Amino acid sequence: MSNVLYDALFASHQGSSRPFLYLPGGRILTYDRFVRLSARIAHVIRDHGALPGERVVAQVQKSAEALALYAACIQAGVIFVPLNTAYTPNEVEYFIGNAEPRLVVCDDAARAALAPFADGIGAGLLTLNGDGSGTLATEAEGRAEQFDTVSRSGEDLAALLYTSGTTGRSKGAMLTHDNLLSNARALTEAWRFTADDVLLHALPIFHTHGLFVAGNVMLLAGGSMIFLPSFRTDEVIGWLPKATSMMGVPTFYTRLLDDPRFTRELVSHMRLFTSGSAPLLAETHIAFEARTGHRILERYGMTETNMTTSNPYDGERRAGTVGFPLPDVEIRVVEPETGKLVPEGEVGVLEVRGPNVFKGYWRMPEKTREEFREDGFFITGDVVTIDPDGYVHIVGRAKDLIISGGFNIYPKEVELLLDEQEGVLESAVIGVPHPDFGEGVVGIVVPKNGSTLDEAGLLAAIQGRIARFKQPKRIFVIDELPRNAMGKVQKNILRERFAAAFQAG
Ligand code: AMP
């Protein structure tokens, strides 16, 4: 019996007394205890009828137990479906309907709201809170600490991760055991992670960055993680002396640079800082080096492709670039309409092929066909150029994706909600520079004839309707949207006009 991912990431840690997770409050979980915990949870999953190939949806706070739930799913051959904790119950209803899990795991606080959706498809519902308590923990108590690992091949699905859709519908990216393991191997090697590493982990674990890039790499390397519930500057500064490395989104680095306690001495012992999920401004890269002497290693990827490119560990880490393709990953830059290669050095859409690339969108064969070329290249939608030395530069995002605090927001979804509001004729949603979040969401609305609109009223009206990170932080009322000859709203003009929305003063 073999299980590609479980064997590589978890099985070898059985019996190991090495520390795996350093948790707030001083608790340390060894590898052996983690593997036993996940085996107990695997029994609970099985009790609830989740058979190999079926799904478990988890909308839970970050905790050791939440990570063990992921391990348990892998061991039981079940497809793990983590959800952003910011999603509201009506958003989760869609994911439950689409993924059709056997079991839903959520916070106690969300139980009542999600119960009808789980009941509706005959799924079980258990709770898991940020402190590890809940019915999942109760059911796992006293269970056998061994579980017969279910056999899984490299082509079997390990996880479904939902990405936002431009049409407002999220798509479940199907990730196989091979997708995840090949990427974990490539990154562990590229970034030289070993069992001696202690990674400061302040990322969420419902997203590819925190769960796979950070989690799988550390499991494969056998290192430890300082596992913080979220990024809080005070806490991170307190823990940094015990870490060898940190993986972050650009916001982490701008926040650290804003704090006078973040000094060269504090991080002189560190081996590596990486950044990704959103563009790291060249000025942040430069300021970071000036302050600490470290050059942040920026890499690029997406839910569908895992990591695609990385700046080199040795060699120049070039500010404002995402480096070179990882080993075995092929990239090309094409004209979006024709799919023809653009001349060297020109701008086009990045396409990717390799063992890292997902198997398609769950139950959306048409969407899958649209986003793959016939020769197997995936169309990322990211607009890039490659410089003469081979470094990839991301110059924009097709489809106007907004990335705020590391989370993706597709304007369309927010625009649809604004358009529903009383007195709104039409709207446009854009991202503009925000000192803390990288980009901040701005809504621009045009009133219907004879109506008056005000920012506070609109902001109040959309509270609770969509996840908080998607809600505009500012809303401006204007007379008409700028449009080109083809009738398309010219968002570039709006971005310029409202560029200073979040500037101080
Ligand atoms: P996600 O699927 O949430 O991981 O988002 C993927 C998107 O984030 C990519 O398609 C890029 O647009 C963006 N992204 C990820 N890493 C970087 C980076 N280092 N620089 C610029 N954009 C990035």
Side-chain angles (χ1 to χ4, degrees):
M1 286 289 221
S2 75
N3 175 314
V4 169
L5 204 56
Y6 191 83
D7 294 349
L9 300 189
F10 304 101
S12 59
H13 298 307
Q14 270 162 16
S16 162
S17 57
R18 292 179 54 82
F20 175 42
L21 300 178
Y22 294 98
L23 297 157
R27 197 175 135 222
I28 299 174
L29 198 64
T30 63
Y31 266 107
D32 185 53
R33 283 191 38 217
F34 179 79
V35 173
R36 288 165 187 268
L37 172 65
S38 71
R40 287 195 275 122
I41 295 176
H43 284 290
V44 177
I45 292 173
R46 175 64 61 76
D47 289 350
H48 284 268
L51 297 173
E54 294 188 314
R55 277 78 52 209
V56 168
V57 163
Q59 189 190 34
V60 293
Q61 299 297 325
K62 182 176 175 183
S63 65
E65 291 75 10
L67 192 62
L69 176 60
Y70 159 59
C73 287
I74 300 301
Q75 188 172 21
V78 165
I79 302 169
F80 184 57
V81 191
L83 295 182
N84 190 324
T85 46
Y87 284 128
T88 61
N90 61 327
E91 289 170 302
V92 175
E93 179 182 13
Y94 164 74
F95 297 114
I96 292 178
N98 186 255
E100 280 196 280
R102 273 276 155 214
L103 179 65
V104 176
V105 185
C106 69
D107 210 88
D108 266 328
R111 197 184 182 291
L114 298 188
F117 310 140
D119 284 351
I121 58 159
L125 181 64
L126 291 175
T127 61
L128 174 60
N129 302 312
D131 62 3
S133 66
T135 53
L136 177 70
T138 325
E139 290 196 15
E141 248 166 54
R143 301 306 307 262
E145 298 194 326
Q146 302 290 328
F147 182 89
D148 285 338
T149 303
V150 170
S151 182
R152 293 280 95 181
S153 80
E155 284 295 296
D156 283 320
L157 296 189
L160 271 189
L161 254 59
Y162 279 93
T163 70
S164 306
T166 35
T167 56
R169 284 269 102 145
S170 267
K171 295 167 284 185
M174 299 190 285
L175 296 156
T176 66
H177 282 238
D178 271 350
N179 289 154
L180 299 182
L181 183 57
S182 68
N183 213 236
R185 287 204 164 117
L187 297 176
T188 304
E189 195 167 319
W191 299 342
R192 311 273 204 280
F193 274 95
T194 70
D196 294 331
D197 271 299
V198 180
L199 180 82
L200 197 150
H201 190 304
L203 296 159
I205 56 166
F206 51 72
H207 184 268
T208 186
H209 194 168
L211 185 60
F212 301 143
V213 180
N216 286 354
V217 163
M218 295 316 290
L219 281 156
L220 190 65
S224 318
M225 295 195 272
I226 297 167
F227 211 56
L228 304 178
S230 64
F231 184 95
R232 286 206 292 270
T233 310
D234 279 351
E235 226 179 338
V236 168
I237 286 178
W239 278 101
L240 271 171
K242 300 202 167 52
T244 63
S245 47
M246 177 170 129
M247 296 186 191
V249 293
T251 316
F252 290 8
Y253 297 115
T254 52
R255 287 190 191 168
L256 286 172
L257 285 170
D258 276 345
D259 197 302
R261 293 170 300 173
F262 184 66
T263 60
R264 185 176 283 253
E265 294 68 48
L266 185 77
V267 294
S268 59
H269 65 289
M270 292 281 284
R271 185 178 74 74
L272 181 65
F273 292 92
T274 69
S275 179
S277 293
L280 180 76
L281 294 179
E283 66 191 65
T284 309
H285 190 283
I286 292 160
F288 196 89
E289 186 178 13
R291 174 86 65 91
T292 66
H294 289 285
R295 289 177 80 89
I296 297 173
L297 187 157
E298 187 172 7
R299 94 296 179 285
Y300 153 81
M302 61 197 298
T303 301
E304 290 94 328
T305 62
N306 296 285
M307 296 307 104
T308 293
T309 70
S310 172
N311 268 281
Y313 188 83
D314 298 318
E316 189 197 349
R317 300 177 192 168
R318 194 169 284 185
T321 83
V322 295
F324 313 115
L326 288 162
D328 300 327
V329 176
E330 295 170 85
I331 62 169
R332 66 187 183 198
V333 186
V334 305
E335 290 172 5
E337 300 78 22
T338 60
K340 281 209 299 230
L341 288 180
V342 302
E344 238 169 74
E346 291 201 3
V347 168
V349 168
L350 184 74
E351 298 189 345
V352 187
R353 183 168 71 179
N356 54 319
V357 176
F358 75 135
K359 283 293 157 294
Y361 295 111
W362 175 255
R363 293 184 174 164
M364 292 186 185
E366 272 187 22
K367 281 264 170 262
T368 304
R369 264 195 302 280
E370 278 169 23
E371 305 208 11
F372 278 92
R373 301 279 180 202
E374 288 203 337
D375 58 3
F377 274 84
F378 172 66
I379 307 164
T380 65
D382 284 311
V383 181
V384 309
T385 177
I386 301 181
D387 73 21
D389 299 325
Y391 288 83
V392 176
H393 299 235
I394 307 218
V395 296
R397 298 184 296 267
K399 306 171 193 168
D400 289 317
L401 175 73
I402 301 169
I403 303 184
S404 186
F407 293 127
N408 292 354
I409 298 125
Y410 283 92
K412 192 83 203 157
E413 188 187 3
V414 188
E415 288 162 7
L416 290 174
L417 181 61
L418 288 175
D419 291 349
E420 273 178 24
Q421 306 308 310
E422 211 182 341
V424 173
L425 176 68
E426 59 176 357
S427 65
V429 167
I430 54 171
V432 302
H434 186 288
D436 201 15
F437 297 106
E439 282 187 308
V441 182
V442 168
I444 293 138
V445 293
V446 177
K448 283 185 180 144
N449 243 343
S451 299
T452 45
L453 294 171
D454 75 287
E455 180 176 19
L458 282 168
L459 287 173
I462 58 169
Q463 283 288 325
R465 296 287 311 279
I466 45 171
R468 188 167 204 91
F469 71 85
K470 297 181 192 168
Q471 295 171 15
K473 299 192 194 321
R474 294 292 317 266
I475 295 181
F476 296 96
V477 182
I478 64 173
D479 289 337
E480 76 179 58
L481 296 177
R483 290 194 141 83
N484 70 11
M486 305 299 294
K488 285 199 201 316
V489 176
Q490 293 168 300
K491 289 198 167 173
N492 49 337
I493 294 178
L494 290 173
R495 284 192 202 102
E496 273 170 35
R497 178 163 167 198
F498 295 101
F502 300 114
Q503 303 309 309

